[in-house]
PDB file of all heavy atoms in Angstrom:
ATOM      1  N   THR A  73       7.799  26.435  11.094  1.00 98.00           N
ATOM      2  CA  THR A  73       8.703  27.376  11.767  1.00 98.00           C
ATOM      3  C   THR A  73       8.038  28.020  12.977  1.00 98.00           C
ATOM      4  O   THR A  73       6.806  28.010  13.125  1.00 98.00           O
ATOM      5  CB  THR A  73       9.138  28.508  10.812  1.00 98.00           C
ATOM      6  OG1 THR A  73       8.045  29.404  10.611  1.00 98.00           O
ATOM      7  CG2 THR A  73       9.596  27.959   9.476  1.00 98.00           C
ATOM      8  N   GLY A  74       8.879  28.606  13.804  1.00 98.00           N
ATOM      9  CA  GLY A  74       8.374  29.410  14.895  1.00 98.00           C
ATOM     10  C   GLY A  74       7.778  30.704  14.385  1.00 98.00           C
ATOM     11  O   GLY A  74       7.949  31.084  13.218  1.00 98.00           O
ATOM     12  N   ALA A  75       7.074  31.386  15.278  1.00 97.00           N
ATOM     13  CA  ALA A  75       6.403  32.630  14.914  1.00 97.00           C
ATOM     14  C   ALA A  75       7.270  33.835  15.260  1.00 97.00           C
ATOM     15  O   ALA A  75       8.128  33.768  16.147  1.00 97.00           O
ATOM     16  CB  ALA A  75       5.068  32.736  15.652  1.00 97.00           C
ATOM     17  N   THR A  76       7.041  34.932  14.570  1.00 96.00           N
ATOM     18  CA  THR A  76       7.652  36.192  14.992  1.00 96.00           C
ATOM     19  C   THR A  76       6.996  36.601  16.308  1.00 96.00           C
ATOM     20  O   THR A  76       5.877  36.168  16.614  1.00 96.00           O
ATOM     21  CB  THR A  76       7.462  37.272  13.927  1.00 96.00           C
ATOM     22  OG1 THR A  76       6.067  37.393  13.633  1.00 96.00           O
ATOM     23  CG2 THR A  76       8.216  36.916  12.652  1.00 96.00           C
ATOM     24  N   PRO A  77       7.666  37.438  17.119  1.00 97.00           N
ATOM     25  CA  PRO A  77       7.092  37.807  18.419  1.00 97.00           C
ATOM     26  C   PRO A  77       5.664  38.317  18.284  1.00 97.00           C
ATOM     27  O   PRO A  77       5.360  39.139  17.411  1.00 97.00           O
ATOM     28  CB  PRO A  77       8.048  38.883  18.922  1.00 97.00           C
ATOM     29  CG  PRO A  77       9.367  38.533  18.304  1.00 97.00           C
ATOM     30  CD  PRO A  77       9.013  38.021  16.935  1.00 97.00           C
ATOM     31  N   GLU A  78       4.789  37.829  19.175  1.00 97.00           N
ATOM     32  CA  GLU A  78       3.381  38.189  19.086  1.00 97.00           C
ATOM     33  C   GLU A  78       2.696  37.942  20.430  1.00 97.00           C
ATOM     34  O   GLU A  78       3.203  37.206  21.281  1.00 97.00           O
ATOM     35  CB  GLU A  78       2.677  37.349  18.016  1.00 97.00           C
ATOM     36  CG  GLU A  78       2.669  35.858  18.325  1.00 97.00           C
ATOM     37  CD  GLU A  78       1.940  35.017  17.278  1.00 97.00           C
ATOM     38  OE1 GLU A  78       1.342  35.579  16.351  1.00 97.00           O
ATOM     39  OE2 GLU A  78       1.981  33.771  17.410  1.00 97.00           O
ATOM     40  N   ALA A  89       7.742  34.532  21.890  1.00 96.00           N
ATOM     41  CA  ALA A  89       8.471  34.318  20.644  1.00 96.00           C
ATOM     42  C   ALA A  89       9.113  32.934  20.634  1.00 96.00           C
ATOM     43  O   ALA A  89      10.077  32.721  19.915  1.00 96.00           O
ATOM     44  CB  ALA A  89       9.538  35.393  20.465  1.00 96.00           C
ATOM     45  N   HIS A  91       7.352  29.838  20.127  1.00 98.00           N
ATOM     46  CA  HIS A  91       6.219  28.968  19.851  1.00 98.00           C
ATOM     47  C   HIS A  91       5.980  28.868  18.345  1.00 98.00           C
ATOM     48  O   HIS A  91       6.463  29.680  17.553  1.00 98.00           O
ATOM     49  CB  HIS A  91       4.953  29.494  20.540  1.00 98.00           C
ATOM     50  CG  HIS A  91       4.515  30.841  20.054  1.00 98.00           C
ATOM     51  ND1 HIS A  91       4.887  32.014  20.669  1.00 98.00           N
ATOM     52  CD2 HIS A  91       3.721  31.214  19.000  1.00 98.00           C
ATOM     53  CE1 HIS A  91       4.364  33.042  20.032  1.00 98.00           C
ATOM     54  NE2 HIS A  91       3.653  32.584  19.007  1.00 98.00           N
ATOM     55  N   VAL A  92       5.200  27.833  17.992  1.00 98.00           N
ATOM     56  CA  VAL A  92       4.648  27.692  16.652  1.00 98.00           C
ATOM     57  C   VAL A  92       3.157  27.986  16.790  1.00 98.00           C
ATOM     58  O   VAL A  92       2.441  27.269  17.507  1.00 98.00           O
ATOM     59  CB  VAL A  92       4.860  26.278  16.091  1.00 98.00           C
ATOM     60  CG1 VAL A  92       4.279  26.175  14.684  1.00 98.00           C
ATOM     61  CG2 VAL A  92       6.337  25.910  16.086  1.00 98.00           C
ATOM     62  N   THR A  93       2.683  29.042  16.159  1.00 98.00           N
ATOM     63  CA  THR A  93       1.287  29.445  16.305  1.00 98.00           C
ATOM     64  C   THR A  93       0.351  28.347  15.803  1.00 98.00           C
ATOM     65  O   THR A  93       0.555  27.772  14.729  1.00 98.00           O
ATOM     66  CB  THR A  93       1.015  30.734  15.517  1.00 98.00           C
ATOM     67  OG1 THR A  93       1.969  31.729  15.905  1.00 98.00           O
ATOM     68  CG2 THR A  93      -0.384  31.257  15.796  1.00 98.00           C
ATOM     69  N   TYR A 134      12.330  37.386  23.759  1.00 91.00           N
ATOM     70  CA  TYR A 134      13.188  36.217  23.991  1.00 91.00           C
ATOM     71  C   TYR A 134      13.908  36.269  25.340  1.00 91.00           C
ATOM     72  O   TYR A 134      14.177  35.224  25.941  1.00 91.00           O
ATOM     73  CB  TYR A 134      14.254  36.117  22.894  1.00 91.00           C
ATOM     74  CG  TYR A 134      13.706  36.001  21.500  1.00 91.00           C
ATOM     75  CD1 TYR A 134      13.710  37.105  20.643  1.00 91.00           C
ATOM     76  CD2 TYR A 134      13.191  34.806  21.024  1.00 91.00           C
ATOM     77  CE1 TYR A 134      13.214  37.019  19.352  1.00 91.00           C
ATOM     78  CE2 TYR A 134      12.693  34.698  19.730  1.00 91.00           C
ATOM     79  CZ  TYR A 134      12.710  35.806  18.900  1.00 91.00           C
ATOM     80  OH  TYR A 134      12.213  35.707  17.622  1.00 91.00           O
ATOM     81  N   PRO A 326      13.847  30.566  15.734  1.00 97.00           N
ATOM     82  CA  PRO A 326      12.522  30.879  16.279  1.00 97.00           C
ATOM     83  C   PRO A 326      11.583  31.521  15.265  1.00 97.00           C
ATOM     84  O   PRO A 326      10.413  31.715  15.562  1.00 97.00           O
ATOM     85  CB  PRO A 326      12.863  31.870  17.383  1.00 97.00           C
ATOM     86  CG  PRO A 326      14.020  32.628  16.828  1.00 97.00           C
ATOM     87  CD  PRO A 326      14.825  31.635  16.022  1.00 97.00           C
ATOM     88  N   THR A 327      12.074  31.892  14.092  1.00 97.00           N
ATOM     89  CA  THR A 327      11.263  32.581  13.087  1.00 97.00           C
ATOM     90  C   THR A 327      11.486  31.908  11.739  1.00 97.00           C
ATOM     91  O   THR A 327      12.403  31.082  11.590  1.00 97.00           O
ATOM     92  CB  THR A 327      11.646  34.073  13.003  1.00 97.00           C
ATOM     93  OG1 THR A 327      13.037  34.177  12.673  1.00 97.00           O
ATOM     94  CG2 THR A 327      11.386  34.789  14.323  1.00 97.00           C
TER      95      THR A 327
END
Side-chain angles (χ1 to χ4, degrees):
T73 73
T76 55
E78 63 179 354
H91 63 266
V92 180
T93 307
Y134 301 103
T327 59

